[in-house]
Amino acid sequence: MLDRYVLRQLLTALAATTGGLAALIWLTQSLRFVSLVVERGLSLRVFIELTSLLVPSFVAIILPITTFVVVQFVYQRLAGDRELTVMRAAGLSPFRVARPALICAAASVLLCLMLNLWIVPQAFHAFKQYEFQIRNRIAAFMLQDGVFTPLSATMTVYVRSRDPDGTLHGIMVEDGRQPDNPSTILAERGTMLVVNDQPRVVLFDGSRQEIDRRTGRLNVLTFARNTIDLTTPPGDQVRYRDSSEMSLHELLHPDPRLVPARDRGKFAVEAWRRLTSPFTAFSFAMIGLVSVLRGSFSRHGNILRPFTAIMSVVCLLAASLMVQNLAGRNPRLMPLMWIEAIVPGALCAIVLFLPEWRQRQQAMAASLLAPAAPGRAPRP
């Protein structure tokens, strides 16, 4: 009953804190994509679908921190309400009191592992694909009146005005997809079409001007009707995945045709980061437990121990970033990532539970030696 009472408070606070903080981060990060809605006419549904794919990565980053915050807050409240005093007076050991927090930390570790190894890479890959599709294909439909719109590095489109029925007026297309023969296309009017999910514009009453680089001559071709494909060349449509959207196996065994030798260390660091960072949730939770359960109880509270715990977590976060940077430069330092993630929690567990374990060992030894002591009357 006691475990369920404390564990219910921990899990409820963890879900609320993690959800609220993830929502706040999502709100701030999604502002980068507001331009797709305001300037390019992207629908609100597509905007939410796109940005919601980033939420799993936010949760994976903040969950160890919120685990520490929740453990620290809940146990400090229990101490302030004298509930920890009652538990200790009832004879509960430090491990018995800390068991709900250990279960909460274990759940956080497992959830972080699931996020880092499966959910986050797939969500981030879907996000990159979705964003690439929006910026490189759907952008062709979002031409703004009176603005030179770069659809790619080799094509720019200008539209003077647009009718309510979608008819375009005063069109200029700067097409450099063929470097040897760049062209400028002018048309009085035009309209957008979709053929096989590819954007095309049909131009009426215009001209096509090309400069022959070999002869330097300007060739002008007038037309009554012409169709231009606004998609980028196949080479520009190829998107190479980065390390954040690769699986663990791909990071540890990268394809030498896609990943140069100088970047393999960074990919290995990303793989080990996914494996080690979940265990920081356990270490942070243990730091919170030590700050509350270790030491004498103060009726007026003690601000020094919570402050020390917070600064310890901040220092561990900074050390984690430093170790990752060093390991990226020198792969032989990668074991430091495991040490930084696990050793603080192990040391806190020793500080918190070792005295209790020694007392139990001494009590067991005393109980075994008691019957053999001379002159002692046998127990009834």
Side-chain angles (χ1 to χ4, degrees), residues 49-359:
E49 290 177 355
L50 175 66
T51 55
S52 62
L53 293 173
L54 296 174
V55 174
S57 62
F58 301 154
V59 175
I61 294 173
I62 66 176
L63 188 57
I65 301 175
T66 54
T67 302
F68 162 75
V69 172
V70 166
V71 170
Q72 182 78 29
F73 172 77
V74 171
Y75 275 79
Q76 284 287 354
R77 190 187 62 79
L78 292 176
D81 294 343
R82 307 297 189 268
E83 294 182 67
L84 285 183
T85 304
V86 174
M87 295 178 190
R88 290 172 175 175
L92 297 183
S93 64
F95 178 80
R96 184 74 170 77
V97 175
R99 188 162 62 183
L102 296 177
I103 296 174
C104 179
S108 297
V109 170
L110 293 177
L111 181 56
C112 281
L113 282 173
M114 291 178 56
L115 289 169
N116 283 350
L117 299 183
W118 294 288
I119 300 177
V120 171
Q122 295 180 6
F124 204 77
H125 176 67
F127 167 79
K128 287 290 188 179
Q129 287 287 95
Y130 207 174
E131 184 186 26
F132 181 78
Q133 180 183 8
I134 290 173
R135 293 189 181 277
N136 292 275
R137 294 190 178 181
I138 300 180
F141 299 98
M142 311 305 173
L143 303 177
Q144 302 179 59
D145 300 349
V147 176
F148 288 89
T149 305
L151 300 184
S152 67
T154 56
M155 179 177 290
T156 302
V157 179
Y158 174 84
V159 177
R160 186 179 68 245
S161 61
R162 185 199 306 260
D163 291 341
D165 60 358
T167 302
L168 309 175
H169 297 279
I171 304 170
M172 185 186 75
V173 179
E174 189 70 26
D175 189 355
R177 289 176 292 184
Q178 297 180 2
D180 295 334
N181 296 308
S183 61
T184 300
I185 304 169
L186 304 174
E188 294 184 2
R189 57 190 177 88
T191 184
M192 297 291 299
L193 295 177
V194 180
V195 179
N196 296 327
D197 295 329
Q198 302 295 327
R200 295 182 181 181
V201 59
V202 181
L203 304 177
F204 302 95
D205 301 330
S207 63
R208 182 185 185 96
Q209 304 174 12
E210 296 183 356
I211 297 179
D212 192 336
R213 294 292 179 85
R214 293 173 297 180
T215 62
R217 295 180 56 185
L218 174 63
N219 301 322
V220 180
L221 174 66
T222 60
F223 57 84
R225 176 189 174 99
N226 189 20
T227 302
I228 300 178
D229 187 358
L230 297 182
T231 57
T232 56
D236 294 340
Q237 295 183 13
V238 176
R239 188 185 69 83
Y240 296 99
R241 296 186 300 164
D242 57 20
S243 59
S244 58
E245 49 186 318
M246 291 185 176
S247 65
L248 187 65
H249 181 269
E250 291 175 319
L251 292 174
L252 295 176
H253 306 89
D255 189 347
R257 297 171 299 179
L258 302 177
V259 180
R262 67 176 183 274
D263 293 336
R264 294 181 183 177
K266 298 179 181 178
F267 280 57
V269 169
E270 173 65 18
W272 290 115
R273 185 198 66 79
R274 294 185 188 179
L275 291 172
T276 58
S277 60
F279 293 96
T280 58
F282 168 76
S283 295
F284 292 172
M286 289 304 306
I287 292 175
L289 286 173
V290 169
S291 69
V292 179
L293 301 181
R294 186 65 174 169
S296 59
F297 174 74
S298 176
R299 178 182 301 179
H300 303 287
N302 190 343
I303 193 63
L304 181 61
R305 285 187 289 178
F307 177 77
T308 304
I310 294 173
M311 294 306 300
S312 300
V313 171
V314 172
C315 291
L316 286 177
L317 291 174
S320 176
L321 295 177
M322 182 182 66
V323 168
Q324 291 177 25
N325 291 331
L326 293 176
R329 301 175 184 176
N330 188 355
R332 290 178 296 181
L333 298 178
M334 287 184 186
L336 291 178
M337 300 176 65
W338 285 101
I339 295 175
E340 184 274 333
I342 297 177
V343 169
L347 292 178
C348 290
I350 292 174
V351 170
L352 188 60
F353 303 134
L354 183 60
E356 174 193 356
W357 181 79
R358 286 180 175 176
Q359 291 177 1

